[in-house]
Amino acid sequence: MNSLIFGILGAANAGASSYSGIILILLMIALMYFFMIRPQQKQRKQHQSMMDSLHPGDEVVTIGRLHGKVDSINKQDRTVTLDCEGIYLTFDMVAIARVIKQSDANHDTKTDVKAAKDDQATKEKATAAPDKDDHQDQTDKSTDNPEK
């Protein structure tokens, strides 16, 4: 068995090159992991996050290059019903290649949440402490009016 492995690897001296053959195999496995397996795992995670953020009204393209709007999503069966100009077609979720445009309802909701957080932060800053300019304006007004 060992002579077969060394013969395949082209090793002439069995004693000195036994470790180099094992190192070569391990190196090939590591390269295969970094160039094939890891990028595929990244793509799978990106696709899963895209599927998790999919909502009715989103415009999508399937792997067959069919364009349509998401009408409904069945999470249990992992299917999506697309509205393609009045024709409703059901696809597996893995058949969705990409999302072209998020629906306006989803975009507005995200925008509204962000705007509400910004408004709340602005109100907190305004009520936290008055600015020096506001304090100076109040003292100028009190000195301008001798009646007070």
Side-chain angles (χ1 to χ4, degrees):
M1 175 94 175
N2 284 340
S3 63
L4 179 64
I5 293 173
F6 292 125
I8 291 172
L9 295 175
N13 190 355
S17 65
S18 64
Y19 291 116
S20 65
I22 293 172
I23 291 172
L24 182 64
I25 290 172
L26 292 176
L27 182 64
M28 289 174 61
I29 290 171
L31 287 173
M32 210 164 65
Y33 174 77
F34 282 108
F35 286 112
M36 293 175 64
I37 297 170
R38 191 167 177 234
Q40 187 177 12
Q41 287 176 343
K42 277 186 170 182
Q43 284 180 341
R44 190 178 304 132
K45 285 180 184 178
Q46 286 176 342
H47 189 264
Q48 185 62 40
S49 67
M50 181 180 67
M51 290 298 106
D52 291 340
S53 66
L54 194 65
H55 296 289
D58 293 348
E59 292 182 22
V60 296
V61 178
T62 66
I63 57 175
R65 302 299 178 240
L66 181 74
H67 294 247
K69 258 187 187 173
V70 176
D71 184 59
S72 64
I73 300 171
N74 187 344
K75 298 265 184 186
Q76 289 177 333
D77 295 337
R78 301 209 29 90
T79 59
V80 177
T81 303
L82 297 182
D83 179 9
C84 303
E85 297 182 7
I87 300 170
Y88 293 91
L89 303 170
T90 304
F91 291 94
D92 288 338
M93 287 184 100
V94 294
I96 304 298
R98 65 175 192 230
V99 177
I100 297 175
K101 187 172 121 180
Q102 295 285 333
S103 66
D104 292 335
N106 295 336
H107 181 68
D108 290 343
T109 304
K110 291 177 184 175
T111 306
D112 291 343
V113 169
K114 185 177 178 184
K117 287 181 182 178
D118 291 342
D119 289 341
Q120 184 179 6
T122 305
K123 287 178 184 176
E124 287 175 1
K125 286 181 182 177
T127 58
D131 293 338
K132 292 180 181 179
D133 295 334
D134 292 339
H135 181 66
Q136 187 177 8
D137 290 341
Q138 290 175 357
T139 56
D140 289 342
K141 289 179 184 177
S142 63
T143 57
D144 289 342
N145 263 345
E147 296 173 7
K148 287 188 177 180

